[in-house]
Amino acid sequence: MDTIIRTNIIAESAKTLCDPSKIDFSASRWAADRVAELTPEQSSKTIEAVADAVAARAAEILDANALDLEAMDPADPKYDRLLLTQERIDAIVAEMRNVAALPSPVGVELERRRRPNGMLIRKVTTPFGVIGVIYEARPNVTFDVFALCFRAGSAVVLKGGSQASHTNTKAVEIIRDVLEARGMDPEAVRLLPDGHDAARAMLEARGSIDLIIPRGGRGLIDFVRDNSRVPVIETGAGVCHTYFHSSGDIATGGSIILNAKTRRVSVCNALDCLVIDRARLASLPALCYGLASKQVEIYADDEAYAALDGAYPCLRHASADDFGREWLAYKMSVKTVVDIDEAIEFINTHGSKHSESIIAENREATTEFLRRIDAACVYANVSTAFTDGAQFGLGAEIGISTQKLHARGPMALAEIVTYKYLITGAGQTRP
């Protein structure tokens, strides 16, 4: 009977696939229950099998990715995010194997207490159930999200951007092929069709989807937060600053600024704005020296412009809109401040609560910055490029949370489970 019911659910879901406004998520809910029943060893071996399949079918993935790339302007900041290479596929495979090797986050006892009446109360981690992820042109997210959600005992519903349609379709095809070959429910991962209607259906699926995580720019995150009836964890948008304090070391600062800005400009932890004390403006050309070799365009306020004029080749006058902007390109702004108080106020006003850094040799300054900056990750004399689950030793991440409820910063396995209280006794009743 269960098999017949499940078959009917999937058949009805297939009928509605062409009408996104009527998408039925029952099959995902059914699959979530099956995933939750897997042992840690079963989920681990399944993720390993998917990693094997990705490695074996890399050529198919690259061919699909080429079709998506043909339709995108290489000058688009999202092009680098969309691009897959053999090296990047190798990294995807390695990340999936890493997730498979991590301890299961399900069934972990967080707290235990015995009440005076003998009642035992335990707080234990449990899967969310069905997790929905809406993301833009980053096909690696398809694999990362599946591995993390599956390892955390949940099914996943994916809504990728239309720019990565061919790549995402091929990725989900490979994952579902492995699940079916292993006798598991392929509905544990589902890719919704392109278009805003499918996204809206997902956002309205309260009771069918337990959690939605958007990954992308500010526009996407705002849309999801403002329109979702399902609980949301905000991730992705990164307006990141590095503050060069009056006590900062030029060599340290130049190295950190170059790395944070140019390591990979299309990611959310890339540097967007350099904030500098007025007393150190004479050091600005030396701090920006390495950026010139990468042809980084600098949008500077009047004081910083005067300090760089004639010493930096790619210089522009900044407008008000150039501060608080996520560039996702070889561009950045420079803001001059009087002191650390003005720097902190400026960063807290213009940042996205993602990642902020200070370059300073003065211990009191670094302590004050770490205490007062309101962001998920706050650094002292370290590049913001390290905001990443793997770099934090957490394994692969599902995103960087910029909010304060449930999870903040890199979200890995521990952040995509919830918990419940398990209470046992011997017939206790309440007076």
Side-chain angles (χ1 to χ4, degrees):
M1 179 64 72
D2 285 352
T3 301
I4 295 174
I5 294 173
R6 175 184 172 280
T7 301
N8 289 339
I9 289 173
I10 294 174
E12 289 302 312
S13 297
K15 290 178 183 178
T16 61
L17 201 58
C18 58
D19 185 355
S21 66
K22 298 179 180 179
I23 292 175
D24 181 5
F25 295 98
S26 301
S28 296
R29 174 62 63 189
W30 185 284
D33 292 340
R34 308 288 79 76
V35 175
E37 294 171 353
L38 297 176
T39 66
E41 183 180 16
Q42 287 174 318
S43 70
S44 177
K45 287 186 178 299
T46 301
I47 296 169
E48 283 279 4
V50 173
D52 290 341
V54 172
R57 300 174 65 176
E60 296 177 43
I61 299 170
L62 292 173
D63 287 345
N65 188 241
L67 294 175
D68 290 324
L69 291 169
E70 285 178 6
M72 182 178 284
D73 181 355
D76 190 318
K78 293 180 182 178
Y79 189 90
D80 180 62
R81 290 188 175 194
L82 175 60
L83 174 66
L84 288 181
T85 62
Q86 184 60 55
E87 183 180 6
R88 290 186 178 183
I89 289 179
D90 291 343
I92 289 169
V93 171
E95 286 294 311
M96 296 188 78
R97 296 196 196 285
N98 185 38
V99 172
L102 292 171
S104 170
V106 179
V108 177
E109 186 174 278
L110 303 175
E111 294 179 18
R112 168 188 288 252
R113 64 188 68 178
R114 177 80 66 175
R115 302 297 296 151
N117 65 357
M119 185 171 63
L120 177 64
I121 302 176
R122 294 182 299 136
K123 184 179 180 181
V124 179
T125 58
T126 188
F128 265 103
V130 180
I131 297 177
V133 180
I134 302 178
Y135 55 109
E136 294 174 329
R138 294 188 66 174
N140 63 297
V141 171
T142 305
F143 297 105
D144 290 346
V145 164
F146 163 75
L148 285 162
C149 291
F150 196 81
R151 188 64 170 147
S154 289
V156 63
V157 177
L158 302 170
K159 176 63 183 73
S162 59
Q163 302 98 329
S165 180
H166 293 94
T167 316
N168 288 334
T169 299
K170 177 57 66 174
V172 171
E173 174 191 314
I174 291 171
I175 295 170
R176 289 170 69 103
D177 285 350
V178 172
L179 293 176
E180 286 192 294
R182 296 178 67 84
M184 296 179 178
D185 194 336
E187 292 296 312
V189 58
R190 180 179 184 183
L191 179 66
L192 296 186
D194 293 337
H196 291 297
D197 287 343
R200 286 192 178 278
M202 192 174 179
L203 299 178
E204 295 172 1
R206 187 175 181 88
S208 297
I209 296 177
D210 299 288
L211 173 68
I212 288 179
I213 302 173
R215 290 192 58 171
R218 172 53 56 193
L220 171 66
I221 292 171
D222 288 346
F223 173 79
V224 171
R225 183 193 61 240
D226 294 345
N227 292 278
S228 182
R229 298 181 63 238
V230 179
V232 173
I233 295 180
E234 296 182 33
T235 73
V239 179
C240 302
H241 300 79
T242 293
Y243 167 46
F244 191 78
H245 182 257
S246 59
S247 68
D249 177 75
I250 293 177
T252 300
S255 175
I256 287 175
I257 292 165
L258 178 63
N259 179 257
K261 177 67 258 182
T262 67
R263 176 190 167 272
R264 194 172 176 192
V265 297
S266 65
V267 294
C268 59
N269 57 27
L271 174 62
D272 295 295
C273 181
L274 171 62
V275 181
I276 186 168
D277 274 345
R278 180 173 294 149
R280 294 301 300 273
L281 279 173
S283 302
L284 191 55
L287 292 172
C288 297
Y289 176 80
L291 299 174
S293 65
K294 300 288 187 178
Q295 298 182 317
V296 174
E297 292 183 42
I298 291 181
Y299 292 73
D301 65 14
D302 291 342
E303 292 181 82
Y305 190 97
L308 289 171
D309 193 19
Y312 192 85
C314 309
L315 189 60
R316 308 282 186 270
H317 284 284
S319 68
D321 292 339
D322 294 327
F323 300 110
R325 178 174 180 177
E326 186 178 24
W327 291 96
L328 300 174
Y330 285 95
K331 300 178 181 181
M332 60 177 276
S333 54
V334 179
K335 171 67 177 177
T336 306
V337 294
V338 175
D339 55 20
I340 190 170
D341 289 325
E342 186 179 353
I344 290 172
E345 180 181 0
F346 177 84
I347 292 170
N348 282 340
T349 300
H350 293 85
S352 63
K353 305 186 187 304
H354 191 291
S355 300
E356 314 290 8
S357 182
I358 182 174
I359 300 164
E361 296 299 303
N362 183 292
R363 186 182 295 271
E364 291 182 2
T366 59
T367 300
E368 186 173 2
F369 189 87
L370 294 171
R371 179 178 63 85
R372 292 173 56 191
I373 286 293
D374 183 13
C377 301
V378 189
Y379 297 86
N381 297 311
V382 180
S383 167
T384 57
F386 283 99
T387 301
D388 176 84
Q391 294 299 314
F392 279 27
L394 304 175
E397 70 180 35
I398 202 166
I400 309 294
S401 172
T402 54
Q403 64 184 43
K404 299 180 182 180
L405 291 178
H406 178 70
R408 199 176 197 196
M411 291 177 55
L413 284 175
E415 286 71 40
I416 54 172
V417 291
T418 183
Y419 60 82
K420 59 185 175 183
Y421 287 96
L422 304 179
I423 305 96
T424 56
Q428 288 91 337
T429 59
R430 184 172 177 176

